Amino acid sequence: MAQEASSSTSSKTISLKTGDGEIFEIEASAAKQMKTVQRLIDDLGDDITIPLHNVFSKELPKIIEYYKKDITGEITKDFEAEFVKDLNDDEVKVLFLAANYLDANKLFEFLSQNIADRLESKSVEYVRKYFGVENDFTPEEESKLREERAWSFRGIKEDE
Amino acid sequence: MRLVMDTVEEEFVEIPIPIPSSTSSSSMAKRPCPSQNPRMELENLLYQFLSLSDRPSLSLDLSFENLLQSMPPDTDLIDRALKMGSLLLDAAKHSSRKRASNHNSIVWPLPPDLTFKIFSMLDTQSLCYVSAACSFFSKCAKDPLCYENLDLTTLVPKVNNAVVATMIQRAGKALRSLKLGVVPATACSPGFCQPMVSTIRKAIVEAPNFSWNDKRSRQGRESSVLTRCCLSPLSGDGGAPGALLRKLHLYNIERMDSTSLCGALSACPSLLDLEIVGIHVELRQTLMSVSANCHLIERLFFESSRTGRDDSLKAQTCSELVNNCPNLTSLSLRGFKLHDCKVRILVKGFRKLKYVDFSSSYSITGNFLRNLGNCNGGNLLEVLILRDCMHLKEMEVIRFLTAILAGDFKLLMHLDISNREGLACEADWYHRCYSSNNMPIKQVLEARPDMRLVAEYPSEGSYAETFDAEMNSDISLQFSSPTSDGSIFMSTSESSYNSDHGSGNEEGQDAVIYGESSDEDNNMNL
């Protein structure tokens, strides 16, 4: 039956196939950080290309880049700042959802914080636009919510 | 009623049923043939009616008016139209919301527990905005973890008891930190700092976009002011919210009094960090309450609302506090009348005391510092701030500095003995000593290059600091600048010693600092 990838062979790479058919290689130790991938390895063996239906070739390289840095222990504040600097809000969201799918905890936490930072002091409309959600409140609920936040006095940033 | 229904039906039949134009982009989809089912009948009627909207020259008002005129005068047709119109509108809105919710659940596939993970990283204000985006977010944002650290401070009075109660209730036993009250803007840009204002009035006047008319017009409606029992929700629900509360910071809550504050403290046995600024409470009563309830306390920061007039502290209070709260590492009592003997009990008695700030105190002369360096309390001191203590004697300061030179207070990293009125002369405190020439400052700095020593005094007759370049210690101009959350950062060797609110008497003057400023994390941003 399928054996767990031996952690002593640290140079071993795993093949990952994205939802749109592209194949990427990662180190076995990096794959360990993505629990979904690790589970699939445990089930299917580490010689098989692991299929990732919900992750695509646009975001997987970025995720791999993050964990490549992680296994060498080089993730610093500077690296993290650089990592998200050029990402627009949508790209961060897609990465965040991918990290969730892959059960990649460290990246997930980091991106959660980044999304929270992007939402700080933003208006309601901005938040809606960012997540792509629509207003589904009744007028009464809306006015109640408006009342609840009436105390927040600090200036809200202009929508970008 | 049936009669009227038939009449309407007849009328309806006479109006030619429009065939939706296939070229119109807003035309409705064709529906299957109507059956005899009564529910289907209503749906068909609805369909027919709504198809009317495709008509290019729809004049619903004209047709309605004509219909009305053809009816007997006592007809209730108008009421019916109003009622049906309203029902249809409500139905359309309801369905629209339902579709929006469905859309949202596709667009945001995360389950609640992951969603509120993001929300729990937001500050309280941003959380309110996020929770108003859609109903799913609103639900997620109600999770207690999002309310772990409540920051309800505002620039002007805006929060009322209801807001506080709601937030505390949502936090429940997840509540760990609560900041409440009015914190005036410091309006600092990097490099300089305006005088801190501690009175609400001045703060309100200086706050942007606020006018007194606004405040007056609110009087009639629900008050935007916190009353004395604003903290009672901490005791609610069996005391769950207060039970694990670690940090409580209260600023300028006009109506709070000793009784209500002590009541709140009695609900917070796990409190580690208590900061009270500008609240009309008596020092002694407050410390007694801390003594009785908050045995784990590590940091106490009190700034009086009536500078120099609270004389309530008694020796017994100090002894009790020392006995009941052995974990205290940081003690700030600013703007009170403190006597050396009582202060000595405190400084000697707390075995873990590292940070002491008695700025703007009255009555203390510095006598309490004598022979402190080599006994239990005192020799762990890392920070000692005695800014603007009006009765602090130059002689005592000299004595203290001499003790440092002799090797006492080995851990002292930061000493601030500045006074904008100069230090008191020995005989008569009306006479002030303005220069630091008598004090062995240079020697101390040579002996203790790791220490930061702040000693700003006005030159006689003026308030400007003029220190000659001949003073050959490292002189670096440093300014107070706020940390990112708008608080004044007191330069200390450990960044945990943050003061969220400066004393009303402190002015942001240029500080000429003697001594090495080698610690990167102490540097203020210029």
Side-chain angles (χ1 to χ4, degrees):
Chain A
M1 287 274 96
Q3 298 266 309
E4 257 188 58
S6 165
S7 54
S8 60
T9 56
S10 58
S11 57
K12 186 143 177 72
T13 59
I14 309 282
S15 296
L16 301 175
K17 184 161 165 196
T18 64
D20 50 346
E22 279 197 44
I23 300 194
F24 295 89
E25 306 278 326
I26 56 164
E27 314 265 323
S29 43
K32 256 197 163 60
Q33 305 294 328
M34 307 182 206
K35 296 212 193 80
T36 306
V37 174
Q38 190 57 50
R39 275 196 287 271
L40 288 167
I41 292 175
D42 293 345
D43 288 342
L44 303 171
D46 52 6
D47 294 323
I48 296 188
T49 305
I50 307 290
L52 299 173
H53 299 298
N54 270 344
V55 185
F56 297 88
S57 51
K58 191 151 189 288
E59 56 263 20
L60 189 56
K62 203 86 171 131
I63 297 176
I64 293 175
E65 179 196 328
Y66 185 86
Y67 277 104
K68 240 197 195 125
K69 263 299 188 163
D70 183 43
I71 52 178
T72 62
E74 279 171 30
I75 294 200
T76 60
K77 285 266 182 265
D78 285 337
F79 169 73
E80 287 186 333
E82 195 60 36
F83 188 79
V84 290
K85 194 171 66 125
D86 293 323
L87 295 176
N88 66 29
D89 291 341
D90 232 3
E91 288 165 340
V92 172
K93 201 175 75 175
V94 163
L95 270 177
F96 172 75
L97 294 172
N100 173 50
Y101 172 76
L102 292 172
D103 208 350
N105 200 19
K106 196 153 179 206
L107 183 60
F108 183 78
E109 305 264 323
F110 165 53
L111 291 174
S112 301
Q113 183 63 61
N114 191 254
I115 292 182
D117 293 342
R118 287 170 193 242
L119 290 178
E120 203 108 331
S121 296
K122 288 294 183 7
S123 67
V124 177
E125 260 321 302
Y126 183 92
V127 173
R128 283 190 187 136
K129 232 175 29 176
Y130 180 75
F131 290 108
V133 295
E134 292 170 4
N135 178 7
D136 59 345
F137 290 118
T138 66
E140 296 78 27
E141 288 167 341
E142 266 202 276
S143 67
K144 184 157 178 279
L145 284 164
R146 192 169 290 117
E147 241 179 69
E148 272 181 21
R149 66 177 189 273
W151 63 274
S152 61
F153 186 65
R154 278 194 288 228
I156 296 295
K157 283 191 237 160
E158 289 299 320
D159 287 357
E160 276 148 37
Chain B
M1 189 159 96
R2 206 147 195 267
L3 200 63
V4 179
M5 271 276 280
D6 287 335
T7 314
V8 169
E9 227 167 18
E10 280 165 30
E11 290 294 326
F12 191 75
V13 160
E14 281 175 18
I15 298 171
I17 295 170
I19 298 166
S21 158
S22 53
T23 59
S24 159
S25 56
S26 60
S27 64
M28 287 167 50
K30 285 197 167 26
R31 284 178 95 253
C33 288
S35 68
Q36 295 307 311
N37 187 327
R39 207 184 107 248
M40 292 290 284
E41 216 175 281
L42 177 58
E43 286 175 24
N44 285 325
L45 271 178
L46 211 50
Y47 178 73
Q48 309 274 17
F49 176 68
L50 292 173
S51 309
L52 289 176
S53 68
D54 287 338
R55 265 187 151 191
S57 54
L58 178 69
S59 52
L60 206 55
D61 49 350
L62 215 57
S63 304
F64 183 74
E65 183 58 35
N66 289 340
L67 178 61
L68 193 61
Q69 283 176 11
S70 67
M71 302 283 283
D74 60 346
T75 181
D76 60 353
L77 199 65
I78 290 183
D79 289 336
R80 285 171 177 272
L82 290 171
K83 175 182 166 188
M84 297 305 284
S86 166
L87 286 175
L88 188 57
L89 185 61
D90 284 347
K93 286 188 174 170
H94 180 88
S95 294
S96 163
R97 284 193 295 271
K98 213 162 116 181
R99 264 147 197 76
S101 297
N102 284 342
H103 162 88
N104 293 347
S105 64
I106 294 170
V107 143
W108 186 251
L110 254 57
D113 60 336
L114 294 175
T115 309
F116 66 64
K117 197 167 175 37
I118 299 182
F119 293 176
S120 66
M121 299 176 184
L122 291 169
D123 63 283
T124 315
Q125 286 198 13
S126 302
L127 186 63
C128 290
Y129 284 84
V130 160
S131 79
C134 67
S135 57
F136 181 68
F137 282 8
S138 185
K139 215 173 65 169
C140 293
K142 290 209 169 70
D143 186 86
L145 281 178
C146 300
Y147 298 90
E148 204 179 22
N149 300 308
L150 288 180
D151 184 351
L152 300 174
T153 56
T154 55
L155 295 173
V156 293
K158 265 228 165 194
V159 176
N160 61 17
N161 290 9
V163 172
V164 180
T166 309
M167 299 283 179
I168 291 181
Q169 258 158 29
R170 287 196 188 152
K173 59 182 198 280
L175 187 63
R176 292 291 177 274
S177 149
L178 174 60
K179 296 188 190 178
L180 186 60
V182 178
V183 183
T186 52
C188 286
S189 54
F192 74 96
C193 153
Q194 292 170 9
M196 283 282 286
V197 291
S198 67
T199 59
I200 299 182
R201 251 168 227 281
K202 187 150 186 237
I204 291 174
V205 165
E206 287 186 2
N209 302 326
F210 186 87
S211 87
W212 277 107
N213 288 331
D214 276 351
K215 189 162 199 250
R216 242 174 258 128
S217 65
R218 275 205 299 270
Q219 298 295 347
R221 286 173 267 165
E222 197 183 317
S223 169
S224 306
V225 169
L226 295 164
T227 71
R228 58 183 296 278
C229 26
C230 57
L231 290 180
S232 51
L234 286 176
S235 324
D237 194 21
L244 295 172
L245 186 67
R246 301 229 171 93
K247 186 192 281 199
L248 182 61
H249 290 191
L250 303 171
Y251 307 97
N252 299 312
I253 303 176
E254 283 278 316
R255 297 202 197 165
M256 187 167 278
D257 59 9
S258 291
T259 319
S260 47
L261 177 59
C262 296
L265 290 176
S266 67
C268 305
S270 310
L271 207 59
L272 297 177
D273 178 342
L274 179 62
E275 183 162 322
I276 296 179
V277 174
I279 311 256
H280 307 307
V281 290
E282 202 195 48
L283 180 62
R284 178 175 145 265
Q285 274 193 305
T286 315
L287 288 181
M288 274 171 59
S289 184
V290 170
S291 219
N293 297 300
C294 311
H295 300 146
L296 301 175
I297 197 97
E298 292 174 6
R299 176 178 179 264
L300 276 180
F301 184 105
F302 289 178
E303 189 172 304
S304 176
S305 60
R306 315 173 292 141
T307 312
R309 279 173 281 162
D310 185 328
D311 189 14
S312 58
L313 190 62
K314 289 197 178 356
Q316 187 184 8
T317 318
C318 298
S319 307
E320 275 173 17
L321 192 64
V322 162
N323 287 333
N324 292 335
C325 304
N327 290 337
L328 199 71
T329 58
S330 168
L331 178 64
S332 303
L333 300 174
R334 292 156 88 158
F336 298 96
K337 218 164 179 181
L338 301 175
H339 296 108
D340 288 274
C341 49
K342 298 165 189 166
V343 162
R344 200 175 165 78
I345 298 175
L346 292 173
V347 179
K348 269 190 79 168
F350 287 119
R351 305 200 157 217
K352 301 186 186 173
L353 197 59
K354 292 188 195 167
Y355 180 104
V356 169
D357 180 355
F358 294 140
S359 299
S360 306
S361 296
Y362 284 68
S363 301
I364 53 170
T365 64
N367 188 306
F368 74 97
L369 293 168
R370 294 195 195 184
N371 300 320
L372 204 56
N374 51 7
C375 62
N376 272 332
N379 59 355
L380 286 182
L381 268 187
E382 294 179 14
V383 175
L384 179 60
I385 301 176
L386 297 169
R387 264 187 105 90
D388 295 329
C389 293
M390 286 308 139
H391 300 106
L392 185 64
K393 288 188 182 165
E394 189 196 41
M395 183 262 283
E396 298 290 352
V397 172
I398 293 174
R399 220 191 204 128
F400 181 63
L401 291 173
T402 312
I404 294 178
L405 280 173
D408 287 346
F409 300 104
K410 285 198 168 31
L411 296 178
L412 194 63
M413 284 290 140
H414 181 110
L415 174 64
D416 189 340
I417 40 174
S418 311
N419 201 312
R420 59 163 192 247
E421 308 260 12
L423 294 177
C425 291
E426 172 60 36
D428 172 6
W429 76 274
Y430 278 117
H431 285 112
R432 313 302 290 185
C433 317
Y434 291 106
S435 84
S436 50
N437 290 333
N438 295 337
M439 299 191 271
I441 289 184
K442 245 181 23 178
Q443 294 92 306
V444 169
L445 286 168
E446 273 161 30
R448 297 280 298 271
D450 50 335
M451 189 158 94
R452 173 173 282 135
L453 204 162
V454 185
E456 329 156 19
Y457 305 105
S459 45
E460 191 150 355
S462 90
Y463 279 82
E465 286 76 38
T466 47
F467 284 96
D468 302 333
E470 63 159 336
M471 295 286 203
N472 53 12
S473 334
D474 287 356
I475 295 179
S476 54
L477 279 174
Q478 289 204 355
F479 302 90
S480 296
S481 66
T483 56
S484 56
D485 64 351
S487 57
I488 293 286
F489 181 73
M490 301 289 282
S491 86
T492 67
S493 54
E494 272 155 69
S495 56
S496 60
Y497 298 133
N498 266 346
S499 161
D500 273 347
H501 193 83
S503 152
N505 295 325
E506 259 180 277
E507 306 220 311
Q509 294 168 345
D510 296 354
V512 179
I513 312 284
Y514 291 94
E516 246 179 61
S517 43
S518 54
D519 320 272
E520 286 79 8
D521 50 337
N522 284 348
N523 280 341
M524 318 281 203
N525 296 323
L526 277 174

